[in-house]
Amino acid sequence: MSAFEKHKKNWTNSSRCLVASGGRLAVSLDRLTNALVLVGQHGVYCTSQRNPTVPAMDLRIINQELVHAKELVQSVMEELRRAREKKENQPFEK
């Protein structure tokens, strides 16, 4: 099942508050957050052999990539929000 099929209900609900693409971005942000949580939980058990107080290197790299992806999605959502607010604040034209 594709992500579009699996999470359509979630982004449909989010789309009521945002434009359609914003709803998909909101669900994507939720998916990234869930992935970060799972990587963090796995990092508790899969630690570095050199330093057992930190997660293994591959988990740290995966975590950093997910954080970067999340930041990018958040920045696009913020741009959409600013564009919507700007459009709402423009005077009505005939």
Side-chain angles (χ1 to χ4, degrees), residues 27-37 66 69-71 73:
V27 172
S28 298
L29 194 61
D30 288 343
R31 302 290 84 194
L32 287 168
T33 301
N34 289 347
L36 281 166
V37 169
L66 289 170
K70 188 173 176 177
E71 289 171 353
V73 169

Side-chain angles (χ1 to χ4, degrees), residues 14-72:
S14 298
S15 294
R16 292 183 184 134
C17 299
L18 303 166
V19 295
S21 57
R24 289 191 301 272
L25 285 171
V27 172
S28 298
L29 194 61
D30 288 343
R31 302 290 84 194
L32 287 168
T33 301
N34 289 347
L36 281 166
V37 169
L38 292 171
V39 168
Q41 288 175 343
H42 190 66
V44 171
Y45 302 105
C46 187
T47 59
S48 169
Q49 292 180 357
R50 292 183 187 166
N51 183 357
T53 62
V54 297
M57 178 62 81
D58 58 343
L59 290 176
R60 288 183 284 175
I61 293 169
I62 291 167
N63 186 67
Q64 190 61 49
E65 291 299 318
L66 289 170
V67 167
H68 289 169
K70 188 173 176 177
E71 289 171 353
L72 291 168

